[in-house]
Amino acid sequence: MTRIANLLLPMLLLAASPAFAHAFLKNSTPPVGSDVPVSPKAVIIDFTEGVEPAFSTIEVQNAQGKRVDDGHPHLVNGNQARLAVNLPKLPPGTYRVTWHATSVDTHKTQGTFRFTVSP
Amino acid sequence: MPRRQTLAAIAAAVVTFTTHHAFAHAVAGARIFVNTDLIDDPGVSDEANLPLISLTSPDGKTWVTDANLEYDKTITPSLGFAVGTDWDFIAHDMMDGGKTHAGFDDTYVQLKYRWIVLPEHEFISAVEVTQVFGRAGTVGIESGYDTTSVSGFFGKGLGDIPWAPIRPFAVTGELDYNMPDTGPMGGGATTYWSGGLTLQYSIPYLQSQIKNVGITGFAANLTPLIELGWSSTAGSSAVPGISPPTTLLLGTGATWTGTYQAINAEILWPLNGAAGHGLGVIAQYHLYFDDLFPNTIGKPISEW
């Protein structure tokens, strides 16, 4: 233990780079698995860490597998941990959101969830 | 029976599951295969156990406290090595007149290769070679012989199953073939199999992939799990009485996974006499260097 601690502690103390990590979904609008009464204007995902918008995507598909978002994922108000994609007015139905995130330290993650626009 | 062989028998029965493993975390798509205690996960990464501690009893009277320290380093994104050792405190050793002993157990090094990751299917698999140095610890605690092991690992998340209630589950598995040296210092030790399975239910996965059910705070990062560890002889021993017995050990508990660290705690349930007597406990504190220090000690030596 002593040898390992002696080896690691100096490196830990000297490591001055900022700490980032895998970016996973923390919250979303609309919420994961939710039923919403009206069509949302956008899908907004809050990640646990900052993401690189150029290498991160959100895609929304309807029940027939057709993409319905505007195809331009973007950061919200410059918040690097909040990515959004705009939506047209959606008819009632279930929609599938697929996201791919590359965190600012290049860790790659992905995920999917659904939400439903109630009739 | 020589003293170190009696302790080796204790170790084979009780400590087999808690040593010589890189208790790492692995990511495949949206799935995190969390740290578990009885078997290793199927990934390679930059991290450390500081430490993993278990308290078990092989006979209901002798109590073995094992503290494992391990450092894992990636050479490339798919290839990693680990070095670790254990410190044991054996109280009321009934195989040595009720005496108490303490000291360093075997030291080991590992080379692990993650050969496949299928993010869409949350599948990951790896192979590993481990060399245990059984004469590098404290005489009377160390095993007294070296062991070479080859291992295979897999992890599969059930996120691609259409039935939503089952999708937060994941299974991982490990199978090892262990080859103690057969020289005079080997003491007649024989080859043996070991491994196990885990079943994990990820609350983070539930809330980020299926339905946000409103769990917040500490519980939102929990992954309850159950795991089964197993070992069984693969050959006959030259010295009667010290062959590794078949052991079955169940662990139930949970892993709390944060951004930079994880904490795991389980209750150990021996399923046969060779796996111990009475309940044991095991816990670990884990640091993710790849997330803490992604640009220095937390990144692979080579991106090749």
Side-chain angles (χ1 to χ4, degrees), chain A residues 1 8 11-12 15 17-22 24-25 27 32-34 49 99-100 105 107 109-114, chain B residues 27 29-30 32 69 71 104 119-120 167 207-212 259-260 289-297:
Chain A
M1 176 182 182
L8 292 181
M11 288 192 289
L12 295 175
S17 60
F20 300 105
H22 292 85
F24 287 100
L25 185 150
N27 287 302
V32 173
S34 63
E49 301 296 330
W99 57 266
H100 292 77
D105 62 326
H107 286 125
T109 49
Q110 65 185 66
T112 63
F113 67 90
R114 288 177 168 80
Chain B
V27 176
I32 300 175
L69 294 159
Y71 175 60
F104 280 95
E120 300 289 345
R167 290 173 56 203
Q207 298 211 117
S208 66
Q209 293 286 116
I210 301 166
K211 187 173 181 59
N212 188 334
T259 303
Y260 309 118
F289 290 152
D290 54 342
D291 291 327
L292 275 167
F293 308 109
N295 300 316
T296 53
I297 63 171

Side-chain angles (χ1 to χ4, degrees), chain B residues 1-12 95 140 142-145 184-189 239-242:
Chain B
M1 184 182 295
R3 158 134 191 86
R4 70 178 169 205
Q5 290 179 355
T6 65
L7 289 175
I10 293 174
M95 300 186 78
E142 63 183 9
S143 65
Y145 51 86
M185 294 297 288
V239 180
I242 64 167

Side-chain angles (χ1 to χ4, degrees), chain A residues 4 8, chain B residues 19-24 40 47-51 68-72 82-85 108 110 286:
Chain A
I4 293 176
L8 292 181
Chain B
T19 61
H20 314 150
H21 286 296
F23 298 93
D40 192 3
E47 54 196 358
N49 285 336
L50 297 170
N68 171 258
L69 294 159
E70 181 177 301
Y71 175 60
D72 298 80
V83 58
T85 191
Y108 58 93
Q110 298 173 311
H286 211 89

Side-chain angles (χ1 to χ4, degrees), chain B residues 87-235:
Chain B
W87 185 84
D88 291 346
F89 180 82
I90 303 173
H92 310 299
D93 183 359
M94 299 310 293
M95 300 186 78
D96 193 21
K99 294 179 180 176
T100 294
H101 312 279
F104 280 95
D105 202 340
D106 300 350
T107 296
Y108 58 93
V109 294
Q110 298 173 311
L111 192 65
K112 190 174 187 180
Y113 178 63
R114 185 194 63 203
W115 65 277
I116 188 170
V117 183
L118 300 175
E120 300 289 345
H121 297 285
E122 300 172 5
F123 180 80
I124 185 172
S125 183
V127 293
E128 181 182 75
V129 176
T130 300
Q131 180 62 47
V132 180
F133 302 101
R135 306 174 187 104
T138 303
V139 174
I141 298 291
E142 63 183 9
S143 65
Y145 51 86
D146 299 340
T147 300
T148 303
S149 303
V150 292
S151 306
F153 307 87
F154 80 92
K156 175 72 178 81
L158 303 188
D160 53 359
I161 302 293
W163 190 43
I166 205 172
R167 290 173 56 203
F169 283 99
V171 294
T172 66
E174 173 180 344
L175 179 64
D176 319 307
Y177 184 67
N178 308 284
M179 298 164 283
D181 66 12
T182 55
M185 294 297 288
T190 183
T191 55
Y192 64 98
W193 297 98
S194 60
L197 293 168
T198 78
L199 178 65
Q200 313 171 7
Y201 184 88
S202 172
I203 292 174
Y205 190 96
L206 166 70
Q207 298 211 117
S208 66
Q209 293 286 116
I210 301 166
K211 187 173 181 59
N212 188 334
V213 295
I215 298 173
T216 59
F218 179 82
N221 288 9
L222 281 179
T223 299
L225 58 92
I226 182 170
E227 52 181 328
L228 176 69
W230 152 82
S231 71
S232 183
T233 184

Side-chain angles (χ1 to χ4, degrees), chain B residues 227-254:
Chain B
E227 52 181 328
L228 176 69
W230 152 82
S231 71
S232 183
T233 184
S236 58
S237 172
V239 180
I242 64 167
S243 293
T246 295
T247 59
L248 289 169
L249 188 62
L250 187 72
T252 57

Side-chain angles (χ1 to χ4, degrees), chain A:
Chain A
M1 176 182 182
T2 302
R3 280 181 294 178
I4 293 176
N6 287 342
L7 176 68
L8 292 181
L9 284 176
M11 288 192 289
L12 295 175
L13 294 173
L14 289 172
S17 60
F20 300 105
H22 292 85
F24 287 100
L25 185 150
K26 184 166 67 176
N27 287 302
S28 70
T29 304
V32 173
S34 63
D35 289 326
V36 292
V38 296
S39 172
K41 295 181 178 177
V43 168
I44 305 170
I45 297 179
D46 286 315
F47 290 98
T48 55
E49 301 296 330
V51 300
E52 288 288 354
F55 303 103
S56 303
T57 64
I58 300 175
E59 184 172 327
V60 185
Q61 295 176 318
N62 63 18
Q64 289 72 45
K66 181 184 177 185
R67 185 169 186 174
V68 297
D69 63 88
D70 71 357
H72 299 291
H74 56 277
L75 298 179
V76 178
N77 297 329
N79 184 343
Q80 207 151 16
R82 177 171 288 182
L83 195 68
V85 65
N86 294 329
L87 298 172
K89 183 172 175 54
L90 299 176
T94 297
Y95 295 86
R96 175 186 170 98
V97 179
T98 303
W99 57 266
H100 292 77
T102 300
S103 66
V104 291
D105 62 326
T106 72
H107 286 125
K108 290 181 171 59
T109 49
Q110 65 185 66
T112 63
F113 67 90
R114 288 177 168 80
F115 69 89
T116 299
V117 178
S118 300

